[in-house]
């Protein structure tokens, strides 16, 4: 006898919205958003790596939230890799030459979809993940600048990235993207 899961939303009061996920009579998840509680998404923090988790290829980060944030390996910019400067420069040169190769064969493809990574950036991240393992390049107690991508939820910490994006009215400043001069 499978009971359907339902999401119940109480938005009757302007100052607080409550959401519950129920499986039959059992409450599986409960969350609320209130005017008093500050939103974290988009916030940028100077943070410290508390744990590098090889099995997840991710790091747990102390950034000042209620729980440690989660930083996936492909969300870590190579500037933070603890590798020789020459290796880092070679990586960035490779990324730049990839961009040039793309431009030669590319027609007028129009604007890129904001939700998806541009092809050359996705390629760079894949290459980095093939070449290195997180435990080889990221250290415990390392300091980095992170941005919250997804809010804390239930017992899950916030999802973080080091690829910062600051939205203005007419453009988005992306200071550490390898393309487009950092502006979208």
């Amino acid at each position: 006898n499978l009971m359907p899961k339902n999401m119940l939303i109480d938005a009757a009061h302007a100052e607080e919205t409550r959401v519950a996920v129920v499986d039959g009579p059992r409450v599986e998840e409960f969350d609320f958003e209130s005017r008093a509680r500050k939103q974290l998404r988009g916030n940028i923090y100077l943070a410290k790596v508390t744990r590098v988790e090889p099995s997840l290829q991710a790091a747990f980060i102390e950034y000042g939230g209620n729980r440690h944030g989660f930083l996936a390996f492909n969300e870590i910019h190579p500037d933070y890799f603890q590798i020789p400067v020459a290796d880092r420069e070679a990586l960035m040169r490779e990324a730049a030459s990839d961009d040039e190769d793309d431009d030669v064969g590319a027609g007028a493809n129009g604007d890129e979809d904001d939700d998806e990574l541009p092809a050359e950036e996705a390629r760079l991240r894949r290459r980095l993940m093939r070449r290195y393992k997180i435990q080889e390049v990221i250290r415990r107690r390392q300091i980095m600048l992170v941005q919250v991508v997804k809010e804390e939820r239930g017992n899950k910490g916030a999802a973080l990235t080091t690829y910062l994006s600051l939205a203005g009215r007419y453009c988005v400043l992306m200071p550490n993207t390898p393309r487009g001069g950092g502006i979208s």
Side-chain angles (χ1 to χ4, degrees):
N1 180 15
L2 290 171
M3 300 287 288
K5 280 190 185 182
N6 288 309
M7 183 180 282
L8 308 174
I9 301 170
D10 172 12
H13 304 287
E15 63 279 350
E16 185 171 277
T17 302
R18 300 175 189 144
V19 179
V21 176
V22 293
D23 189 356
R26 198 172 75 241
V27 174
E28 286 209 341
E29 263 185 76
F30 177 77
D31 202 13
F32 69 95
E33 223 169 74
S34 71
R35 284 213 175 131
R37 192 166 111 180
K38 298 282 182 279
Q39 289 289 98
L40 298 177
R41 192 163 172 253
N43 286 2
I44 295 173
Y45 300 93
L46 191 61
K48 188 175 10 180
V49 176
T50 55
R51 196 168 98 230
V52 175
E53 195 48 71
S55 62
L56 297 172
Q57 283 299 294
F60 290 94
I61 310 288
E62 174 59 59
Y63 69 99
N66 298 321
R67 320 187 160 69
H68 289 169
F70 181 84
L71 181 64
F73 187 29
N74 69 338
E75 294 296 340
I76 303 175
H77 191 277
D79 281 354
Y80 289 113
F81 288 11
Q82 304 289 301
I83 57 176
V85 174
D87 291 4
R88 185 175 300 115
E89 284 169 357
L91 278 171
M92 295 324 252
R93 267 197 311 279
E94 276 177 39
S97 72
D98 272 0
D99 290 356
E100 288 160 19
D101 295 346
D102 287 347
D103 294 344
V104 172
N109 306 58
D111 288 342
E112 290 157 346
D113 182 10
D114 283 347
D115 294 339
E116 288 184 21
L117 285 176
E120 64 269 22
E121 202 169 317
R123 242 197 323 281
L124 172 66
R125 293 193 196 186
R126 273 198 305 274
R127 175 179 289 149
L128 291 171
M129 290 185 74
R130 269 200 312 272
R131 189 168 299 174
Y132 299 106
K133 300 230 176 302
I134 192 169
Q135 64 271 28
E136 299 165 349
V137 294
I138 298 299
R139 303 274 171 266
R140 195 165 168 263
R141 290 194 283 279
Q142 187 173 337
I143 302 292
M144 49 181 72
L145 213 51
V146 296
Q147 186 169 33
V148 177
V149 181
K150 219 189 248 168
E151 294 281 341
E152 293 182 345
R153 264 262 183 279
N155 61 357
K156 280 196 173 110
L160 307 171
T161 185
T162 62
Y163 288 90
L164 309 180
S165 61
L166 301 158
R169 188 177 215 165
Y170 301 109
C171 68
V172 179
L173 180 64
M174 301 163 80
N176 52 7
T177 17
R179 62 180 179 92
I183 294 176
S184 169

